[in-house]
Amino acid sequence: MLLIQTSIGTGYDLSNSVFSPDGRNFQVEYAVKAVENGGTSVGIRCKDGVVLAVEKIITSKLLKPGANKRISTVDRHVGIVSSGLAPDGRHFVSRARDEASSWRGIYKGPIPVSALANRLGGYVQAYTLYSSVRPFGVTSIMGGWDSEAELAVDGQGYYGAATGKGRQAAKAELEKLDLASEKLSLHDAVKEAARIIYVAHEDNKDKEFELEMSWISSLDGPTQGRHEEVPKELLEEAERAAKRALEGDDEEEDEGAKGTGNVGERMEE
Amino acid sequence: MNHFPGTWGRPRDDVYGPYDSSYLQTTGPKTHTQSPAVTGTSVIAVKFKGGVAIAADNLASYGSLARFTDVKRLRKFGDAAVIGFSGDVSDMQYIDRLLESIDIRENYSAHGNQLNAKNLHTYLSKVLYKRRSDFNPLWNHILVAGFDSEKKPFLSSADLLGTTFSAPHLATGFGAHLAIPILRRLFPEERSIEEISKEEAVSALKDCLKVLWYRDARSMDKYSLALITQDGIEVHEDQQIEAQNWAFAESIKGYGAQTV
């Protein structure tokens, strides 16, 4: 009976969609655990757009810079960044693209970001229900700009979101930004996103990484409501600023994030 | 009465001759897509030094009724091309959505290879030919303006049969009869495109639109004009035909209730 706390050997983790007596679904929790080790990704919603950023850990020196993109365009106005298993992320994005294009087929217009998030939420959840499938090995953040001037990160309408290994450090930084007041401009949000990825990487310093960022501005902003990669010059500028900010921090005191392994974290899609 | 329900209630064969049952046919091809309903008239376009100018009026007619007066018949495809549609407006909307879905798919990744106007024209002519081969044509005559892969100005047409034709100046519909002669006089074959300025091309298009407005009963004096150059695409919508002079109309005789 000592084993109940660890869940192994209880028999409740042998198959998907089996619940333990206290209402936990262990296979889903294992999947969330797996995702916790993925590269950190963040999404910031500000007054005139959304920024997505991801820490892409370089797994091999043979990889070309910019290979294996982690941020994908789903429709003109929507982008998705995912932490976790890259192939699962690609499948998820592929489904998102199908949903977005089928919406256009029916309604002759772009899918509202919240509707897309809803549909994908349902899709991901279906993969927790059957013993023939396994849950998704990704946590994704979706950002978009609805032309009716409503924007959503993560479907639930977060001001900011973070997933992956450094998510707790990232979330702490996001909370400091006071995003709810909508004072942050898109350009500043790009710089903040880059800085947050660098901060979140502090605990994982032995591995090299590449910063990947995309943005969606308002219709009269730089991307005209489209999801695009952040231009190279701006990305480099943001990276320089992020490094400078970190060096400044180091002099004061190194304030790293707490350890991982908070099981209270739920999958956010 | 007999036991053939199909003949019940119908005129008797021995009195009126055999009933023409082809009216009852429920199989066979659909025919309601084989004629246009709401239509746009001419599109005209000219190549000039460093680009292409294209224009079309803003009218969609329902037969002879001027039904919609704010229809944009010039559609942009990304930063690559402008497509001018004449013919059926609902088929134009279908093609426009088709192009939109291609544009979205092409931009899933920022690989930097963009479709150019020539690629689009090839694609559209194949779509049109496929549909005419299904006996379900897209009832349009389109002009595609932009640049080819060598960055040279590109202008070509495709019609509802999938036939393509290319020339330094092109016009569809009534424009083929009324605008082409004007354009040929202004820009004869021996005059190279390099000698034609943007301003000259635009003023030639405006002259053609005016003549079309004077003589084509399915046209109107509000129009859109697009300029495609290496700097990008400028689309001017809701333009008005200026300096109209209907004095010539006095001398036209022989129509309607006139007593000459």
Side-chain angles (χ1 to χ4, degrees):
Chain A
M1 287 303 106
L2 277 172
L3 293 173
I4 285 176
Q5 250 339 91
T6 66
S7 76
I8 298 163
T10 55
Y12 295 116
D13 66 346
L14 296 180
S15 177
N16 214 353
S17 97
V18 169
F19 283 82
S20 75
D22 50 337
R24 291 162 60 183
N25 187 339
F26 288 114
Q27 280 297 329
V28 172
E29 286 182 16
Y30 295 162
V32 174
K33 263 270 170 41
V35 173
E36 282 168 5
N37 281 318
T40 313
S41 30
V42 299
I44 298 179
R45 170 202 201 265
C46 52
K47 66 174 183 219
D48 50 354
V50 181
V51 181
L52 300 176
V54 62
E55 166 207 34
K56 197 162 66 187
I57 302 289
I58 296 168
T59 49
S60 162
K61 287 233 184 311
L62 296 176
L63 276 172
K64 274 171 72 185
N68 301 331
K69 291 262 179 280
R70 290 298 195 131
I71 306 181
S72 315
T73 303
V74 168
D75 198 326
R76 276 184 189 149
H77 62 303
V78 186
I80 287 180
V81 58
S82 22
S83 297
L85 299 179
D88 284 28
R90 282 195 284 270
H91 176 82
F92 181 66
V93 164
S94 146
R95 176 67 185 203
R97 286 170 176 170
D98 286 352
E99 290 288 357
S101 100
S102 92
W103 180 284
R104 277 184 187 271
I106 296 165
Y107 301 106
K108 319 296 180 199
I111 187 168
V113 185
S114 56
L116 182 60
N118 240 304
R119 288 179 171 207
L120 291 171
Y123 185 66
V124 170
Q125 203 260 341
Y127 279 77
T128 67
L129 294 176
Y130 310 99
S131 57
S132 53
V133 293
R134 62 169 176 80
F136 272 81
V138 287
T139 311
S140 297
I141 300 172
M142 180 187 300
W145 181 270
D146 289 340
S147 32
E148 292 82 33
E150 188 200 323
L151 53 146
V153 170
D154 221 348
Q156 318 301 325
Y158 286 102
Y159 291 115
T163 68
K165 199 164 192 171
R167 73 194 169 287
Q168 288 188 339
K171 276 181 185 166
E173 291 295 325
L174 283 168
E175 278 164 21
K176 285 184 209 161
L177 292 177
D178 186 25
L179 293 167
S181 68
E182 305 214 328
K183 279 181 194 136
L184 195 68
S185 76
L186 187 60
H187 270 87
D188 290 337
V190 167
K191 291 187 180 156
E192 289 298 340
R195 189 183 61 78
I196 292 171
I197 291 293
Y198 270 83
V199 168
H201 183 71
E202 284 290 277
D203 284 349
N204 200 13
K205 258 185 165 168
D206 49 322
K207 290 191 184 113
E208 283 196 32
F209 80 104
E210 200 178 277
L211 176 66
E212 195 182 320
M213 284 207 285
S214 71
W215 61 350
I216 308 129
S217 80
S218 61
L219 293 179
D220 44 6
T223 81
Q224 292 161 36
R226 285 161 175 266
H227 175 253
E228 285 171 6
E229 284 176 15
V230 171
K232 206 162 164 252
E233 305 82 60
L234 182 59
L235 183 87
E236 283 165 1
E237 190 191 333
E239 274 193 289
R240 277 196 302 275
K243 283 175 190 160
R244 246 182 286 124
L246 267 192
E247 280 161 19
D249 274 1
D250 281 345
E251 281 157 29
E252 290 156 34
E253 205 200 342
D254 205 50
E255 204 175 295
K258 288 169 208 94
T260 53
N262 184 351
V263 187
E265 293 282 332
R266 304 300 307 177
M267 255 187 124
E268 302 160 73
E269 59 282 318
Chain B
M1 194 145 88
N2 57 30
H3 60 281
F4 296 120
T7 64
W8 295 347
R10 299 235 159 79
R12 280 167 55 186
D13 286 359
D14 55 333
V15 178
Y16 299 99
Y19 188 77
D20 181 1
S21 55
S22 68
Y23 291 112
L24 300 171
Q25 202 170 337
T26 52
T27 54
K30 239 192 312 198
T31 53
H32 69 271
T33 59
Q34 297 187 2
S35 62
V38 179
T39 56
T41 183
S42 325
V43 183
I44 51 179
V46 191
K47 277 196 214 178
F48 59 85
K49 186 176 191 294
V52 192
I54 183 168
D57 68 26
N58 294 350
L59 180 69
S61 310
Y62 182 57
S64 59
L65 174 70
R67 181 64 186 80
F68 303 103
T69 54
D70 56 352
V71 175
K72 309 290 180 271
R73 296 194 290 123
L74 301 182
R75 302 291 170 103
K76 254 175 78 169
F77 182 85
D79 301 321
V82 171
I83 299 153
F85 292 86
S86 57
D88 195 271
V89 168
S90 65
D91 286 349
M92 169 183 87
Q93 291 168 338
Y94 169 80
I95 294 173
D96 193 43
R97 285 186 196 122
L98 195 67
L99 292 172
E100 199 156 282
S101 73
I102 290 169
D103 184 47
I104 290 168
R105 264 182 287 146
E106 285 295 310
N107 288 301
Y108 278 160
S109 59
H111 47 64
N113 308 315
Q114 294 290 322
L115 289 176
N116 60 40
K118 197 175 178 204
N119 300 144
L120 272 182
H121 175 258
T122 308
Y123 172 74
L124 286 173
S125 68
K126 307 279 169 189
V127 169
L128 289 160
Y129 181 63
K130 160 70 164 75
R131 288 291 295 262
R132 85 103 226 191
S133 302
D134 292 343
F135 296 96
N136 185 17
L138 291 165
W139 212 276
N140 297 108
H141 194 168
I142 59 170
L143 298 187
V144 183
F147 290 91
D148 62 13
S149 52
E150 274 133 39
K151 305 241 156 62
K152 281 199 307 220
F154 175 87
L155 174 62
S156 196
S157 73
D159 69 6
L160 73 169
L161 302 175
T163 313
T164 61
F165 181 72
S166 189
H169 37 255
L170 284 173
T172 69
F174 248 60
H177 304 98
L178 297 178
I180 289 286
I182 300 171
L183 294 170
R184 284 197 182 148
R185 197 174 58 228
L186 287 171
F187 311 121
E189 218 172 326
E190 51 277 13
R191 209 177 148 195
S192 131
I193 295 161
E194 294 300 308
E195 294 169 29
I196 303 168
S197 72
K198 182 163 91 177
E199 291 69 31
E200 211 179 338
V202 169
S203 95
L205 286 189
K206 286 184 177 172
D207 285 349
C208 291
L209 284 166
K210 193 191 286 184
V211 170
L212 284 164
W213 163 233
Y214 285 155
R215 320 224 74 131
D216 175 3
R218 304 291 164 263
S219 70
M220 75 179 297
D221 56 349
K222 248 169 63 195
Y223 66 94
S224 306
L225 192 146
L227 291 162
I228 304 104
T229 59
Q230 284 294 352
D231 305 332
I233 298 173
E234 280 174 54
V235 187
H236 306 279
E237 283 168 343
D238 297 319
Q239 304 286 301
Q240 180 77 29
I241 291 176
E242 277 152 14
Q244 295 177 27
N245 179 2
W246 289 87
F248 73 93
E250 300 288 324
S251 62
I252 298 174
K253 295 256 155 68
Y255 297 104
Q258 292 168 27
T259 45
V260 182

